[in-house]
Amino acid sequence: MIPLIGMPQGAEWLIILAIVVLVFGAAKLPDLARGTGQALRIFKAETKGLRDEEDDKKKPTAPTSELNAADDEIAEGEIVDERRENNA
């Protein structure tokens, strides 16, 4: 079975390009291309942001009871004092 409607090939692209030039005019084509490029950049940035948010939600968070090396240097009394100051 041969599909009746397919992707344009060869000379069909030239005809489509000629119609676009006639409709929009040669002077407006750079502006049209620039606007399309900006829209695509914005779209890519937004989809990347959504993917990053999704990845952040999937990452397991470390338990708060674990301390790293920098936290070991602070005395426990200092931490309690800082919490009291922050709550006051």
Side-chain angles (χ1 to χ4, degrees):
M1 238 170 108
I2 299 174
L4 297 176
I5 300 175
M7 288 294 297
Q9 298 177 2
E12 294 170 351
W13 280 112
L14 293 175
I15 294 170
I16 292 170
L17 180 63
I19 292 171
V20 168
V21 169
L22 286 173
V23 170
F24 293 105
K28 295 216 178 202
L29 287 179
D31 293 335
L32 181 66
R34 190 176 303 113
T36 304
Q38 288 175 347
L40 285 173
R41 264 186 254 120
I42 292 169
F43 180 75
K44 285 181 183 180
E46 291 297 323
T47 55
K48 184 180 183 296
L50 290 174
R51 275 191 246 130
D52 290 345
E53 287 177 9
E54 204 171 280
D55 290 344
D56 290 344
K57 289 180 183 177
K58 289 181 181 179
K59 289 181 183 178
T61 57
T64 56
S65 61
E66 294 181 11
L67 296 175
N68 60 22
D71 291 339
D72 290 339
E73 296 174 4
I74 300 174
E76 190 172 315
E78 292 175 7
I79 295 173
V80 172
D81 290 339
E82 286 179 17
R83 287 185 185 161
R84 286 183 188 154
E85 289 174 5
N86 290 337
N87 289 336

